[in-house]
Amino acid sequence: MSPAYTTPEQCERWHKRDCCRCGRHGWFAARWPDGHVCRTCHDKALRVRGRCPGCGDERILPGIRPGYRALICPDCAGFMMSYRCSRCRQEDKLHGGRLCTRCTLADKLAELLDDGTGRTRPALVPLAESLLSADSPLSILTWLYMRKGKTGSASDLLQRLGRGEIELNHEAFHTLQPWRAAAHLRELLMACGILPTIDKQLCLFEGWLTGRLAAIADPEHRQIVRRFATWDVLPKLRGRASRRPLTPGNRKYAADQVKHAAAFLEWLSGHDRTLATCRQADIDLWHVEHNEHNRNTVRPFLLWCQTTKLTRRFRLPSPPTRRAAPLSQNERLDLLGRLLTDDGLPLRSRVAAVIVLLYAQPCSRVVRLTMDDVVHDNDQVLLRLGEPPSPVPAPFAELLLSWIDNRDNMNTATNRDSPWLFPGRRAGQPLHPFALAELINDLGVPATASRAAAIRQQVLDMPAPVVADALGYHQVTTSRLTSEAGGAWSRYAAGDHTRSPAGWTPRGTSNS
């Protein structure tokens, strides 16, 4: 802990100064011709590169030309120290041995991924190359030093991978802790092609399931829950993942089914019952004592128990369907106007919110949009949400194209060529739908109510089958919404209405 400073003399002795760049008082990093600089301003200045207006060379520009405030190179600024790496001779922030950040990262990766022969484990070479080629090697180096020396840190996991203590398959990552660090590393390995690519949410659920089953104390209960998860929950998840990417909501619902199955078995034991002796009165008592969410999530387990003859037949109440109340059309239009005109709002949040308000897309679909879904047709911009692609109005088209040129989270190790319209911080992954929903809500735009208002207006303006095809909805859903909204398209028949039925001959005006 640094001592308390009460006099300027003590500050001089312990190397504390006022920074010449930001003016804050603290530890200084270097003495430059224009004064002392703190660590933050020092590192920030060394990240600026460009053509020096003094000498015309392409270099780092940490200096400031007196009077003009133009950024200049170290030589033109009169720096006494050199920032050239002792190995590659590139100018950058220097670390131990006067090595730049990229060379320091190369040495650190070689150390961590060493297989014991003094070289990187051959199977992990693509990972090392991907991390080393990151646009921001300092962020990778910072990640490697986080929780340094602790079990489960990034450096610990990489070292165990290099030595072969962690097998290169998905099953090996199910038991690794902490699970977030293990999940991030697994996504890096999938992005590099070292591990086969499988659905992220399915990976997380399988890892969670391993720990959850181990936490069930009763062996008989554990066996039943494992059978339920293996033969009912997992096949449904994998089937859904084969058709479209799973959402966090899909994973959470599957996890709740497993948790409430175990809780139901525990409840039966507390009432001196088993599945074989469970009666309709016990089912009714469970439903009375528990809330609606518990009742809905235990229902698949009870149905599975009946199908597999573990219990007798029961009467189970149907789960109710609840929908959020939509915004009024005036509220929706006011929100769209503010989002399209207020440049002070975050660009990413504005674009996502407009997609919800215009096209009635849930956040789980918005985050799965890719760059290929933005179609340029001559001077028109289209957004592919279904078939055919939906036209993008001119004010929103400008906003959308501006976001594409300035996407966030593009400097991480494997995101340089990210195909996602809203890239996430994880390797090869889009932004989390819950995070996007929170960003939209922070703008004062209720995501669920906005989507309900948008789809309601769409089915009032166009036939339900057309809306379903264009926005990726099921025709049954849009037809039901049309009826609820009192639309005039409820009897619209899909198909080509310009074609005459077979065998039908139009009657000419001369015969009328």
Side-chain angles (χ1 to χ4, degrees), residues 84 125 141:
R84 291 195 178 275
V125 169
L141 198 61

Side-chain angles (χ1 to χ4, degrees), residues 200-201 245-254 364 367 431-434:
K200 172 188 174 181
Q201 302 300 328
L246 296 177
T247 66
N250 297 144
R251 172 175 59 86
K252 185 178 184 302
Y253 180 66
S364 58
V367 297
L431 192 66
H432 198 288
F434 292 169

Side-chain angles (χ1 to χ4, degrees), residues 233-281:
V233 180
L234 272 172
K236 291 177 181 177
L237 269 186
R238 288 169 178 156
R240 184 185 290 265
S242 66
R243 297 188 298 272
R244 65 180 66 89
L246 296 177
T247 66
N250 297 144
R251 172 175 59 86
K252 185 178 184 302
Y253 180 66
D256 285 346
Q257 290 182 49
V258 174
K259 287 191 292 187
H260 288 101
F264 179 75
L265 293 174
E266 191 70 26
W267 181 87
L268 282 180
S269 295
H271 289 74
D272 297 326
R273 297 285 184 184
T274 64
L275 287 175
T277 61
C278 181
R279 304 166 302 173
Q280 180 67 49

Side-chain angles (χ1 to χ4, degrees), residues 308-330:
T308 54
K309 303 294 193 295
L310 291 177
T311 63
R312 64 187 74 182
R313 308 296 296 183
F314 298 122
R315 295 187 307 274
L316 301 176
S318 300
T321 302
R322 301 186 184 278
R323 289 186 293 273
L327 298 174
S328 68
Q329 180 65 354
N330 288 337

Side-chain angles (χ1 to χ4, degrees), residues 98-118:
R98 297 191 62 78
L99 294 177
C100 67
T101 303
R102 202 171 295 277
C103 290
T104 303
L105 176 60
D107 290 350
K108 186 64 178 176
L109 289 173
E111 173 192 343
L112 293 176
L113 301 179
D114 184 5
D115 61 359
T117 63

Side-chain angles (χ1 to χ4, degrees), residues 24-175:
R24 288 193 293 266
H25 187 71
W27 301 97
F28 71 88
R31 175 70 172 88
W32 285 351
D34 49 350
H36 298 89
V37 290
C38 65
R39 176 66 61 187
T40 300
C41 292
H42 175 269
D43 294 349
K44 182 178 179 180
L46 294 179
R47 288 196 294 268
V48 179
R49 295 180 179 274
R51 186 172 299 279
C52 175
C55 60
D57 293 338
E58 193 77 21
R59 300 180 61 181
I60 60 172
L61 306 174
I64 297 178
R65 175 178 287 179
Y68 297 96
R69 307 301 294 174
L71 300 180
I72 53 179
C73 69
D75 292 342
C76 293
F79 283 20
M80 299 298 295
M81 60 192 307
S82 171
Y83 286 96
R84 291 195 178 275
C85 173
S86 61
R87 180 183 299 171
C88 68
R89 306 306 297 167
Q90 293 293 321
E91 288 185 313
D92 194 9
K93 176 184 177 180
L94 300 181
H95 302 266
R98 297 191 62 78
L99 294 177
C100 67
T101 303
R102 202 171 295 277
C103 290
T104 303
L105 176 60
D107 290 350
K108 186 64 178 176
L109 289 173
E111 173 192 343
L112 293 176
L113 301 179
D114 184 5
D115 61 359
T117 63
R119 61 188 181 91
T120 300
R121 183 180 175 184
L124 299 178
V125 169
L127 175 64
E129 292 176 347
S130 176
L131 294 175
L132 193 55
S133 61
D135 292 338
S136 177
L138 184 60
S139 65
I140 307 298
L141 198 61
T142 303
W143 172 61
L144 295 179
Y145 279 104
M146 288 176 60
R147 302 177 64 248
K148 182 180 179 182
K150 295 185 178 180
T151 303
S153 63
S155 56
D156 173 63
L157 293 176
L158 288 175
Q159 199 163 35
R160 290 161 63 187
L161 272 178
R163 293 196 298 256
E165 296 175 7
I166 301 176
E167 296 184 16
L168 290 176
N169 55 54
H170 287 288
E171 290 73 19
F173 284 82
H174 289 167
T175 57

